[in-house]
Amino acid sequence: MSTDPLPLDRRQLFIGGEWRSASGGGRFDVIDPADGSVLTDVADGTVDDARAALEAAVAAQADWAATPPRERGEILRRAFDLVTSRADDLARLMSLEMGKTVAEARGEVTYGAEFLRWFSEEAVRVHGRWMQAPAGGSRLLTVKKPVGPCLFITPWNFPLAMGTRKIGPAVAAGCTMVVKPAGQTPLTMLLLADLMTEAGLPAGVLNVVTSRSSGKVSEALMADPRLRKVSFTGSTDVGKVLVRQSADQLQRVSMELGGNAPFLVFADADIDAAVAGAMIAKMRNMGEACTSANRFLVEEPVAEEFAAKLAERMDALRLGRGQDDGVDVGPLIDADAVADVTALVDQAVGAGARVVTGGTTPDGPGFFYRPTVLVDVPVDADVNRQEIFGPVAPITTFATEAEAVERANATEYGLAAYAFTRDLARTIRLAESLDFGMIGMNTGLVSNPAAPFGGVKASGFGREGGFEGIEEYLDTTYVSLPAG
Ligand code: NAP
């Protein structure tokens, strides 16, 4: 452990406005994926610590719900300013613990901070409705109230933004919360908790429990009837466990789960624009994004040109430590991730796929995998059916729009899809026939804090961001009134 990326007094649990050690004093290591070394360590929260965090959230709930919306909004706005002013520190921390380049991490700071600003503006726009009953007589009034204490469980791939996407709307709506960040990337969330406090968030509204006992911690909290909402971003398998657990106390749940995004390129598309879009949709976060383009479906006449141009761009990317100058692609998160990507590529090649570029791991330390383009990939290869979560672009061809749509939809997932075409009528048909929560038309990027982010089918339910995002944290009370 050389220079500590975060001071010891902040590598603790944050409960009721105080930084404290885990009960029992346990700690766990945070690993640098660029070389596998130990970066630092953080407190290993126990079930008792998680219960203490929920107590703090429950204790703070009534006062926080009664805090004027403008005040809640202004705290979020100050948090936006603080996060923005500390962008370099946050980006470096994220790059260290997660591996992405500092430039990419800065992009995530901008994206993540924007949820704080967006929901600072939404805090004062929560309102109900008033109407006359259709038959006359009574009046119908609705009142929006915060759902109450929440549990947030976040993944390692976007350590900041997956947090602010939940914390922003919850704070705006008047909810308190316990956050359990991913064990591999706890540092960014701890720094965020510090900045939220500096912005004026009262003690107990936001509590952070880092822990290596994720399952036990969430199970204990979800067994408590005072917890009213669970928002999870992560794998579909864990999401299903949490939905089952939510049944006992009938907690409200939002699930942002895995994806298997198709990327369709039609022969009428601007191929250079499609390649540029593919680079973003595939290589953002080294392919470790739920919205990553997973399957490239290219119309036969342009398939060769698209594959050659994409391979050229992928080949030019420079691998290395995310904090080093000139590096385009950082390491994957851990050795298991490299093994998973390797197995997918090997299976595809064994089934007849051809490697145009990449397909190997470089020599040396760290969890790297070369940007890879595969052609002649069998449609039923594992790489087309599973979420890759790495820098691999498998290309298959199609002959008709109907075939493209049918194959794009042939997945249990339904998060993001992308399509490149210059035909407006086709654009409308695709928007209506692709079975996904988000569609990027002639763009490789769908994420936007002002838009409702979320999926269908095995990609989960609920929406984050946009006008819809705050609704996940509000209950509706209907009041019937006599006409007078
Ligand atoms: P993961 O293994 O499901 O972990 C996500 C979070 O859940 C981590 O905080 C993890 O803690 C925790 N966790 C693990 N097992 C748990 C259990 N039994 N009960 C409660 N919590 C548990 O997913 P990941 O590998 O970190 O993230 C990758 C996945 O997230 C991919 O499938 C990706 O598509 C998805 N994702 C979806 C979105 C979206 O918005 N739809 C965004 C980003 C990522 P530990 O770290 O301690 O294990």
Side-chain angles (χ1 to χ4, degrees), residues 59-82:
Q61 179 58 57
D63 280 354
W64 185 238
T67 302
R70 176 67 73 201
E71 218 172 289
R72 296 199 299 258
E74 281 172 356
I75 290 170
L76 281 175
R77 176 63 210 212
R78 282 198 294 276
F80 164 79
D81 289 337
L82 282 167

Side-chain angles (χ1 to χ4, degrees), residues 356-433:
V356 186
T357 187
T360 54
T361 53
D363 293 336
F367 311 125
F368 293 91
Y369 196 90
R370 286 204 173 87
T372 298
V373 176
L374 303 174
V375 293
D376 303 333
V377 185
V379 169
D380 63 353
D382 292 350
V383 77
N384 278 326
R385 291 187 299 112
Q386 296 174 22
E387 189 176 32
I388 302 170
F389 244 55
V392 179
I395 298 176
T396 58
T397 60
F398 66 84
T400 65
E401 181 182 317
E403 182 198 346
V405 170
E406 191 192 327
R407 279 182 35 212
N409 287 339
T411 168
E412 72 267 35
Y413 294 107
L415 192 62
Y418 305 87
F420 278 74
T421 175
R422 282 192 267 216
D423 182 332
L424 179 59
R426 193 202 313 275
T427 301
I428 294 168
R429 286 195 300 274
L430 292 174
E432 292 175 354
S433 59

Side-chain angles (χ1 to χ4, degrees), residues 173-411:
C175 296
T176 61
M177 64 213 80
V178 178
V179 183
K180 208 297 294 168
Q184 284 161 313
T185 57
L187 304 176
T188 306
M189 183 58 67
L190 295 172
L191 179 51
L192 177 67
D194 213 10
L195 297 178
M196 297 294 297
T197 306
E198 199 181 330
L201 198 65
V205 175
L206 168 69
N207 306 277
V208 181
V209 177
T210 51
S211 175
R212 262 305 178 197
S213 312
S214 305
K216 286 185 188 150
V217 158
S218 60
E219 206 177 335
L221 295 187
M222 290 175 73
D224 191 319
R226 297 172 303 169
L227 184 80
R228 293 317 313 142
K229 161 97 192 176
V230 178
S231 179
F232 171 74
T233 300
S235 61
T236 297
D237 284 349
V238 173
K240 286 180 183 174
V241 170
L242 295 173
V243 171
R244 282 188 206 109
Q245 282 175 8
S246 72
D248 281 345
Q249 302 300 340
L250 287 170
Q251 278 122 353
R252 280 182 65 177
V253 280
S254 302
M255 291 285 142
E256 298 287 353
L257 309 177
N260 180 354
F263 188 104
L264 310 182
V265 182
F266 290 88
D268 63 32
D270 174 338
I271 300 304
D272 289 336
V275 170
M279 289 302 291
I280 295 168
K282 180 72 254 179
M283 292 310 295
R284 180 169 174 241
N285 232 38
M286 291 89 78
E288 294 175 312
C290 51
T291 50
S292 273
N294 212 67
R295 297 169 285 151
F296 289 82
L297 284 74
V298 187
E299 199 166 353
E300 277 157 9
V302 293
E304 218 177 294
E305 179 189 354
F306 178 82
K309 287 182 167 170
L310 183 64
E312 194 184 333
R313 292 279 300 271
M314 294 279 266
D315 205 31
L317 296 175
R318 215 186 122 207
L319 257 67
R321 175 178 279 282
Q323 304 91 59
D324 290 350
D325 288 342
V327 168
D328 303 301
V329 186
L332 300 184
I333 190 70
D334 57 22
D336 286 351
V338 177
D340 289 348
V341 172
T342 303
L344 288 174
V345 172
D346 290 353
Q347 193 276 337
V349 170
R354 191 161 51 85
V355 177
V356 186
T357 187
T360 54
T361 53
D363 293 336
F367 311 125
F368 293 91
Y369 196 90
R370 286 204 173 87
T372 298
V373 176
L374 303 174
V375 293
D376 303 333
V377 185
V379 169
D380 63 353
D382 292 350
V383 77
N384 278 326
R385 291 187 299 112
Q386 296 174 22
E387 189 176 32
I388 302 170
F389 244 55
V392 179
I395 298 176
T396 58
T397 60
F398 66 84
T400 65
E401 181 182 317
E403 182 198 346
V405 170
E406 191 192 327
R407 279 182 35 212
N409 287 339
T411 168

